[in-house]
Every structure is written in structure tokens, then in C-alpha cells.
């Protein structure tokens, strides 16, 4: 902060990356409000701008650096305090001050508990304050300011103890720390009382949840307990690691209608050789067994995934195995990425870099194949009726957007709906990424 500037009054948080980050921003916002800061409507109007950053791929970091550049003039003129939070802060640390000298605060996701103290240092006129140590416990606050009144995130486990060769997350979010089941359940009950429709349980690897309390609930038991809270409508969870995914989870979904019919199970590659090089701890066959578990459920559970193309050493034949896995599994959605080398990760030592152009080609081929699969799967739903939770309204037409339990987006015509309510919709058309429907009139 510039020398003459009084204590910043208003703040704005821009969030990059995953749902964990989105939820962290809600907690940070809550803490700031509790300390007397006021939320601003935009970064332009804020005295204090936080970028809550992602470091998963190099592109994510570049995006943040270019956004930071846009605050340069204001920051140098002492009109704004700029702070970098999140995964890139944790990963790059003080390097950020060298790259972007007008940044005042760098605070990693594992140090948010210290944020109030760090802000006091800034208010006292200190430049370049850091918070980069890991806290032993997941960051919780009674002040969380949830931005979506219908879908609420709850962190159940922070950090990651796996060592996937490509992944920076163990370095940005630290070792695994699970939250006590009582505290999770209390938060969920409270949210339901306040009218939340949907709860999403979050963790880098929710399947390795270990209840630190005496109840010692497994993840599947926790899921069942949250799903059994009176009045709860929908429960989702993300992300699952295939190695730790169990049949108990499928049984929990089967026996609790409130648990949504969707599992996100990142595979990364369809080639056992590449999976071994990635240190994923499962083979293609192991993974397909988990898929069979999910497919054996009484309900039709939709399955989505993450895929990396062009990992070091991935041959054309290995890539073809990923394509054939798409055909075998029939995913309802897939996020796919070109491999991006990340600091500290073990994959940096691997040979066989796949040229960027070839990575790009593989990505296009993969996405086209997956698009066809999704289109066919979605078209098979035309004529059927689903309950959707209403999320938003299109700005102009009398069109609404809802979501099925399988996490499909449905656009439907209706004269009026209430956000957060559940309504029946008949599917009339389908594209690869969403459905079109009409509201079924109930008597
Ligand atoms: N390069 C490309 N994609 C990556 N992911 C994680 N690390 C990398 C990387 N270094 C992808 C994985 C993960 C998703 C969140 O991001 O597919 O599941
Ligand atoms: Fe990005 Fe991973 Fe951090 Fe989420 S946990 S913000 S995906 S680096």
C-alpha cells in the first residue's frame, strides 16, 4: 500500500482454477468481512484486489501474470493493494515479488488462517508480506460467505499424499489433512436449515478421507451420513482417485437417493505403460474394474473423467489406447489437457517429450471422439423425463437452465421458475454438452 493510503476498505477476489479455490475464496471473503472490509462489486472499485490463483498448468500461471499486469498502474500509484493467493502463491512464493514487484502479499492456500495477521502487517505499511507455511488443519472459518445460495461447497479433506508424476498439487496444497466428520455434518445440517439445495463435498482425493475423530467414518460412511440429513436434496463429491475408489461408495449412492448419480473419476491415460510412468498406481484393467463397479449400480450413474495427452514417452499406440478407453467406458464428459511440465514434479526427469504440435493434434482427435460419444449418449435421452434443479434464467428469452442428478445441463422453456427448486423436464433435443427440454406441467 502506498505510504499515504489509509486502511483499505473494500476488497474484490478473482478466482482461477478448481472448486477448491472457489470455496477458498468464499472462506477468505468471510474472514475479510468479519474484519470489517467490505466486498466491492468489481476489481475496479476495490482498494484491495486478491487473485486466488491456480498452478495446475503453465497456462494457468500465465493467465494470472497477464491479469496482474493490468493492475500495475493503480498499484504503483498506491491506489490499490494487490495480493496473490492460492496455488501459484504457494508454488512460486517470493519469486512472484521479483516478477511483479507491485504485489504486496503472497499467501498460499495452506496459510489462510494467518491472513488476518498478514493484512495487519500490510496495514502497518509493510511491503511484500508472505504466508507460505502449511497449517496442520484444513482451513475452516465460521464466516464463510457462500456465493451460490443453492449449491454449497464443504471441504472434507485438504492436500494430497499421492505423487502423480505430472502434478503440482502435492506442492501447492501440501499433505493430506482430513476434517472431523462431526464438523462436516454440523456444517451440512446448518446449510440445509438455511435452505441449501445441493451440497458438494470437496477434496483433492475424497476417497482417502480419514476421519480424525473417534467416529472414524470412512468416506462412504460420511457420504451416506451427509445424504441422510433430513431435508437435504442433492449431494455431490469431487474428486475421486481411481485407486482408492470403492464399491462401498457405489452402494452408498445406490441406497441414498439424495446422493447424485455422477462420479468424476480421472483416468489420465488409457495406456497401462503411460499410467505407470505417471505413477498413477493402477492399470487400465484396474480402472475398468472400477468402472464396472459403477455400472453395476441399480441407478444409471454418469461418469466423467480427466485426460492428459502427450505425457513424456506417450507413443502413438499409447494414445490410441486412450481413444479405445473412451469407446469402452462411454464417458458422459471429459476434461482433456496437453501435458504441461510443472516445477518440482518427477515427470521433469522423464525423457520422450512429445512436441507441442503433436500434443495439439492428439488433443483435437481425442476431443472429437469424446464429442461424438457424448452426443450419442445425450441423444439417447431424448423423450425421457428428468427432475432438474433450476439454476438460472437466460437473460433474454423465457428460458431456464437446470441440472439433472447426472450433472447434465438442461435448457428449457418455461414462463417462470424459482431458482433452487426441482422441476420435471422432458428432453426434446440434445447436443454434446447439454440437453434441451420442456417443462412438464404438474397438476
Ligand atoms: N499438465 C496437464 N494437465 C494436468 N493436470 C494435472 N497436472 C497436469 C499437468 N502437469 C490435469 C489432470 C487433472 C486435472 C485437474 O488437470 O488431468 O486431473
Ligand atoms: Fe489449480 Fe490444483 Fe490448485 Fe485447484 S488445487 S487451484 S486445480 S493447482
Amino acid at each position: 500500500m502506498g505510504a499515504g493510503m489509509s486502511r483499505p476498505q473494500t476488497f474484490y477476489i478473482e478466482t482461477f482454477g478448481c472448486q477448491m479455490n472457489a470455496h477458498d475464496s468464499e472462506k477468505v471473503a468471510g474472514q475479510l468481512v468479519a474484519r470489517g472490509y467490505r466486498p466491492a462489486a468489481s476489481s475496479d472499485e476495490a482498494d484491495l484486489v486478491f487473485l486466488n490463483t491456480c498452478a495446475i498448468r503453465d497456462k494457468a500461471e500465465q493467465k494470472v501474470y497477464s491479469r496482474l499486469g493490468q493492475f500495475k498502474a493503480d498499484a504503483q500509484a498506491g491506489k490499490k493493494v494487490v495480493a496473490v493467493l492460492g496455488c501459484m502463491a504457494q508454488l512460486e512464493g517470493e519469486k512472484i515479488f521479483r516478477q511483479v514487484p507491485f504485489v504486496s502479499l503472497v499467501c498460499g492456500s495452506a496459510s489462510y488462517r494467518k491472513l488476518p495477521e498478514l493484512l495487519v502487517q500490510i496495514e502497518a505499511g509493510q511491503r511484500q508480506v508472505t504466508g507460505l507455511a502449511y497449517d496442520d488443519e484444513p482451513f475452516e472459518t465460521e464466516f464463510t460467505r457462500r456465493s451460490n445460495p443453492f449449491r454449497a461447497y464443504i471441504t472434507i479433506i485438504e492436500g494430497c499424499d499421492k505423487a502423480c508424476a505430472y502434478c503440482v498439487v502435492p506442492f501447492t496444497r501440501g499433505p493430506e489433512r482430513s476434517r472431523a466428520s462431526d464438523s462436516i455434518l454440523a456444517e451440512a445440517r446448518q446449510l440445509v436449515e438455511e435452505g441449501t439445495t445441493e451440497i458438494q463435498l470437496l477434496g483433492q482425493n475424497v476417497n482417502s478421507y480419514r476421519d480424525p475423530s473417534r467416529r472414524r467414518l470412512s468416506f462412504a460412511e460420511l457420504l451416506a451420513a451427509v445424504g441422510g440429513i433430513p431435508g437435504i436434496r442433492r449431494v455431490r463429491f469431487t474428486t475421486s482417485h481411481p485407486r482408492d475408489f470403492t464399491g462401498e461408495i457405489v452402494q452408498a449412492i445406490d441406497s441414498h437417493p439424495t446422493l447424485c448419480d455422477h462420479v468424476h473419476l480421472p483416468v489420465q491415460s488409457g495406456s497401462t505403460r503411460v499410467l505407470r510412468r505417471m505413477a498413477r498406481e493402477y492399470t487400465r484393467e484396474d480402472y475398468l474394474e472400477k468402472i464396472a463397479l459403477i455400472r453395476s449400480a441399480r441407478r444409471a450413474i454418469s461418469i466423467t473423467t480427466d485426460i492428459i495427452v502427450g505425457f513424456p514417452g506417450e507413443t502413438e499406440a499409447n494414445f490410441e489406447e486412450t481413444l479405445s478407453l473412451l469407446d469402452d467406458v462411454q464417458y458422459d464428459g471429459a476434461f482433456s489437457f496437453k501435458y504441461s511440465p510443472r516445477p518440482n514434479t518427477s515427470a521433469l526427469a522423464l525423457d520422450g517429450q512429445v512436441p507441442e504440435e503433436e500434443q495439439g493434434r492428439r488433443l483435437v482427435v481425442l476431443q472429437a471422439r469424446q464429442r461424438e460419444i457424448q452426443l450419442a449418449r445425450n441423444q439417447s435421452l431424448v423423450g425421457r423425463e428428468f427432475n432438474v434443479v433450476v439454476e438460472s434464467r437466460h437473460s433474454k428469452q423465457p428460458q431456464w437452465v437446470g441440472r439433472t442428478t447426472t450433472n447434465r445441463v438442461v435448457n428449457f422453456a418455461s414462463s417462470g421458475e424459482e431458482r433452487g427448486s426441482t422441476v420435471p423436464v422432458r428432453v426434446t433435443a440434445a447436443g454434446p454438452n447439454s440437453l434441451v427440454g420442456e417443462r412438464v406441467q404438474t397438476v
Side-chain angles (χ1 to χ4, degrees):
M1 169 179 10
M5 192 165 156
S6 61
R7 187 185 155 182
Q9 297 296 308
T10 57
F11 72 91
Y12 190 80
I13 307 178
E14 276 185 24
T15 308
F16 300 77
C18 64
Q19 288 125 320
M20 300 280 280
N21 258 20
H23 188 35
D24 282 345
S25 290
E26 295 177 333
K27 297 186 209 174
V28 167
Q31 267 199 339
L32 293 173
V33 169
R35 281 182 47 79
Y37 293 89
R38 282 177 292 115
S42 71
S43 56
D44 283 347
E45 291 162 40
D47 305 317
L48 185 47
V49 174
F50 293 91
L51 300 194
N52 189 4
T53 61
C54 175
I56 196 85
R57 285 168 288 275
D58 186 57
K59 233 164 114 185
E61 288 205 34
Q62 294 317 319
K63 220 158 107 185
V64 172
Y65 278 122
S66 77
R67 184 69 182 124
L68 278 171
Q70 294 167 353
F71 296 113
K72 184 174 179 178
D74 276 356
Q76 285 180 340
K79 288 192 207 150
K80 261 194 209 327
V81 171
V82 178
V84 178
L85 304 179
C87 291
M88 191 177 139
Q90 196 70 48
L91 185 71
E92 304 287 350
E94 301 189 345
K95 220 177 103 187
I96 293 176
F97 293 133
R98 291 199 291 278
Q99 299 254 12
V100 192
F102 58 81
V103 166
S104 302
L105 169 69
V106 169
C107 178
S109 46
S111 310
Y112 291 154
R113 211 182 300 279
K114 298 206 192 72
L115 205 52
E117 296 163 40
L118 302 176
L119 288 172
V120 169
Q121 293 174 28
I122 292 194
E123 283 158 21
Q126 253 198 64
R127 301 254 329 125
Q128 309 205 319
V129 175
T130 55
L132 298 166
Y134 289 114
D135 232 318
D136 288 340
E137 285 185 23
F139 165 58
E140 283 314 317
T141 160
E142 63 204 285
F143 304 120
T144 305
R145 270 176 62 91
R146 289 193 158 79
S147 48
N148 183 331
F150 308 110
R151 179 183 300 163
Y153 297 124
I154 299 184
T155 311
I156 66 165
I157 176 170
E158 276 272 7
C160 182
D161 283 351
K162 296 263 186 277
C164 302
Y166 50 81
C167 189
V168 81
V169 171
F171 308 99
T172 64
R173 288 198 172 262
E176 281 174 1
R177 287 101 63 211
S178 292
R179 195 172 151 199
S181 54
D182 282 345
S183 149
I184 295 166
L185 287 164
E187 188 175 2
R189 277 190 213 102
Q190 168 91 34
L191 285 164
V192 173
E193 264 170 43
E194 290 166 7
T196 296
T197 311
E198 180 177 313
I199 285 178
Q200 189 157 351
L201 304 177
L202 295 183
Q204 233 63 54
N205 177 7
V206 290
N207 309 108
S208 55
Y209 175 77
R210 296 277 171 282
D211 185 1
S213 80
R214 264 205 253 128
R215 294 180 69 187
R216 294 269 174 266
L217 296 190
S218 69
F219 173 62
E221 287 166 337
L222 177 71
L223 205 52
V226 176
I229 292 174
I232 205 159
R233 303 252 289 281
R234 281 185 173 180
V235 183
R236 300 185 186 279
F237 57 95
T238 196
T239 291
S240 295
H241 188 290
R243 206 193 75 143
D244 304 327
F245 188 87
T246 63
E248 269 180 76
I249 298 170
V250 178
Q251 282 157 21
I253 296 178
D254 250 345
S255 46
H256 292 82
T258 54
L259 302 184
C260 285
D261 300 350
H262 175 212
V263 174
H264 183 63
L265 201 64
V267 66
Q268 313 301 356
S269 167
S271 150
T272 295
R273 175 177 168 269
V274 173
L275 289 170
R276 197 178 310 120
R277 288 171 68 87
M278 288 177 164
R280 286 291 283 177
E281 303 179 13
Y282 55 85
T283 62
R284 176 189 176 106
E285 290 67 35
D286 296 335
Y287 182 86
L288 287 172
E289 276 174 30
K290 307 284 172 158
I291 296 296
L293 276 179
I294 301 172
R295 295 277 183 238
S296 72
R298 285 191 291 274
R299 308 218 304 261
I301 297 174
S302 83
I303 306 174
T304 55
T305 201
D306 293 345
I307 289 168
I308 296 175
V309 299
F311 186 74
E314 184 188 74
T315 63
E316 181 62 30
N318 296 151
F319 171 63
E320 297 279 338
E321 289 178 88
T322 299
L323 294 178
S324 78
L325 185 90
L326 296 186
D327 295 338
D328 290 354
V329 176
Q330 295 284 305
Y331 289 110
D332 295 288
F335 298 101
S336 45
F337 314 96
K338 293 188 253 184
Y339 166 70
S340 164
R342 305 308 294 130
N344 306 333
T345 58
S346 64
L348 292 179
L350 294 178
D351 48 18
Q353 288 302 316
V354 177
E356 166 103 40
E357 229 181 73
E358 176 59 14
Q359 289 185 322
R361 188 194 67 81
R362 291 182 192 177
L363 192 68
V364 168
V365 171
L366 179 124
Q367 290 178 343
R369 176 79 65 101
Q370 178 55 29
R371 203 181 143 86
E372 275 173 39
I373 293 171
Q374 275 170 226
L375 183 63
R377 288 182 72 77
N378 285 346
Q379 280 180 343
S380 77
L381 304 176
V382 172
R384 296 200 27 210
E385 196 180 305
F386 296 97
N387 282 329
V388 308
V389 171
V390 180
E391 290 189 353
S392 58
R393 201 206 132 120
H394 282 280
S395 49
K396 296 198 177 72
Q397 313 101 307
Q399 281 268 336
W400 294 77
V401 186
R403 199 176 287 267
T404 63
T405 172
T406 56
N407 213 32
R408 287 186 171 85
V409 170
V410 188
N411 297 287
F412 63 101
S414 165
S415 47
E417 301 291 353
E418 209 176 305
R419 285 181 69 200
S421 66
T422 307
V423 300
V425 169
R426 185 175 301 108
V427 179
T428 54
N433 296 312
S434 63
L435 305 173
V436 179
E438 58 192 18
R439 170 78 142 87
V440 177
Q441 292 311 323
T442 40
V443 242

